[in-house]
Amino acid sequence: KALSASVGQTAAIDGTQVTLDSISCDRNVANLYLTLHREGGFDLESASVYDGSQESGWSRLQSLLPMLSYSLTSADRSLCTGDVQRLDAYQEGDDIKCLMRITPESVMGDEVELSIDGWSWNEGGSQAAFAFGLDLAEVPAPKELGSQTLTFPTQQGDKQLEIERFTASELACVMVVRHEETTWQADDGVDASGIPDPFLDP
């Protein structure tokens, strides 16, 4: 089955008309292709971090992209939630075209429902933007390495990477690790955070 499909749904997010043109996905990731439209176009100068900023046009475009979050369900059971990653953006006339990516924690099954919310400063919170189903029954499962712990000798001693899963598909390689950032109190009494020893930051 094809890995791409047209969607064509449109939502207003923080004064911008956002159209989800199409999606390409396998069981590993989902790529979202969007068009942003604003009456009168987008002002890249006002999108700079500060007056006189020398940042590139690409960086300014990134700051104009909407903040999106997603939730995946299957058979009315929640699978995972998370933030949509911003990958790329460029101008096409007065509009902005952008590519965003959803990377779920687990491999997607035969049929999943995808809901996407957008954050609006004007509305004071998140609001539903897009919702649709994905039929992945004929999409091959990704190749997968089992759960394992890798140990690397370093000058600071042995360091470990605890891999929950590593999957490779046509669209992406995804690595999920078991450990997360933790917070602790340092010797000077100040709170510190990071990956605890002896683990490596992936």
Side-chain angles (χ1 to χ4, degrees), residues 100-119:
M100 296 188 176
R101 172 171 285 178
I102 290 171
T103 308
E105 293 177 12
S106 57
V107 174
M108 290 186 279
D110 288 351
E111 293 183 359
V112 295
E113 296 290 327
L114 177 59
S115 297
I116 300 173
D117 293 343
W119 179 267

Side-chain angles (χ1 to χ4, degrees), residues 26-53:
D26 53 24
R27 294 176 185 257
N28 238 357
V29 297
N31 293 325
L32 310 177
Y33 300 89
L34 303 109
T35 298
L36 312 184
H37 176 79
R38 188 177 290 174
E39 199 66 40
F42 294 88
D43 182 4
L44 285 187
E45 287 302 316
S46 67
S48 60
V49 175
Y50 57 89
D51 281 345
S53 168

Side-chain angles (χ1 to χ4, degrees), residues 50-137:
Y50 57 89
D51 281 345
S53 168
Q54 298 301 307
E55 63 197 295
S56 67
W58 186 86
S59 296
R60 297 180 189 212
L61 284 173
Q62 290 287 310
S63 69
L64 292 168
L65 303 186
M67 294 182 291
L68 303 178
S69 61
Y70 73 89
S71 62
L72 272 174
T73 58
S74 179
D76 295 327
R77 182 176 62 89
S78 177
L79 298 178
C80 61
T81 61
D83 293 327
V84 180
Q85 299 167 281
R86 305 170 180 187
L87 293 187
D88 201 5
Y90 64 92
Q91 282 188 289
E92 187 174 271
D94 289 335
D95 294 339
I96 295 175
K97 297 282 191 177
C98 62
L99 166 62
M100 296 188 176
R101 172 171 285 178
I102 290 171
T103 308
E105 293 177 12
S106 57
V107 174
M108 290 186 279
D110 288 351
E111 293 183 359
V112 295
E113 296 290 327
L114 177 59
S115 297
I116 300 173
D117 293 343
W119 179 267
S120 172
W121 296 110
N122 293 326
E123 299 295 329
S126 63
Q127 55 193 40
F130 313 109
F132 49 89
L134 298 173
D135 180 3
L136 303 173

